[in-house]
Amino acid sequence: MSGSRPTTSAAALATTVVFAAFIAVLGIFPGFYLGGAAVPIVLQNMGPLLAGSILGARRAGAAVLLFLALTALGLPLLSGGRGGIGPFLGPSGGFLLGWLLAAVVVGLIVRRSTRPGLLVLLIANIAGVLADYLIGIPYWGLMIGDLGAAAVQSLVFVPGDAVKLAAVSLVAAAVHRAVPALTGHRAATQG
């Protein structure tokens, strides 16, 4: 019995690191600023949602935390080659910190389901995006001194985030069907 535990721990560590790297890879796609907003629209926020959808709360949280720590240490992992502590202290800092909560929220919801299908994944990812907004918008409001303006300006993210969370949910549903052992829902495919 104890012989299988290190392998499982090594596999869990490997998938956690791979997802942190996946979030970094999504940073290759440059963000763009719409309507003069101080926070860019990026593909990178799909990474924490997908991590939560597949890895569960603990490992997804660890993957996002690893990514954020490496970014804060100065690695240029954010879209546009940004890194260091600066992005965390600017208007987008709350959204970056919100990625951690988003990954955990999505992971908790998905793990509660014995067979996470598309509907569960959509609900989980909507909750994840809302969790990110819950931290990101007030932080942005604090940075610009106007919570109302931050809330209004953040509406520009809603259509793109809706498309991204739908895409993440579709990918995660396919992964849950194809590789249930990776997602921890091994029993759901039996019987």
Side-chain angles (χ1 to χ4, degrees):
M1 255 207 293
S2 64
S4 66
R5 186 173 178 143
T7 303
T8 303
S9 296
L13 178 62
T15 55
T16 301
V17 171
V18 165
F19 268 86
F22 175 70
I23 297 168
V25 167
L26 287 173
I28 291 172
F29 301 98
F32 63 95
Y33 296 87
L34 191 62
V39 178
I41 295 173
V42 298
L43 287 179
Q44 212 162 16
N45 63 338
M46 293 173 69
L49 298 175
L50 190 60
S53 295
I54 294 174
L55 300 180
R58 182 179 298 159
R59 288 190 297 153
V64 173
L65 191 58
L66 174 60
F67 171 81
L68 294 174
L70 292 172
T71 300
L73 288 172
L75 292 174
L77 301 177
L78 294 172
S79 67
R82 297 174 300 138
I85 201 73
F88 294 92
L89 300 176
S92 61
F95 290 102
L96 295 174
L97 298 174
W99 289 357
L100 182 58
L101 180 61
V104 169
V105 165
V106 171
L108 287 172
I109 293 170
V110 170
R111 285 291 179 242
R112 287 208 161 297
S113 173
T114 56
R115 292 188 76 143
L118 185 58
L119 181 60
V120 169
L121 290 160
L122 283 168
I123 291 168
N125 284 300
I126 289 169
V129 168
L130 292 175
D132 190 22
Y133 287 3
L134 183 66
I135 295 176
I137 294 171
Y139 192 96
W140 188 2
L142 182 66
M143 290 292 117
I144 64 173
D146 188 349
L147 179 59
V152 169
Q153 289 179 31
S154 69
L155 292 174
V156 74
F157 302 132
V158 174
D161 283 345
V163 170
K164 289 185 275 187
L165 74 84
V168 164
S169 298
L170 288 167
V171 168
V175 171
H176 279 275
R177 281 191 308 273
V179 195
L182 174 66
T183 64
H185 286 94
R186 202 171 292 142
T189 61
Q190 300 171 352

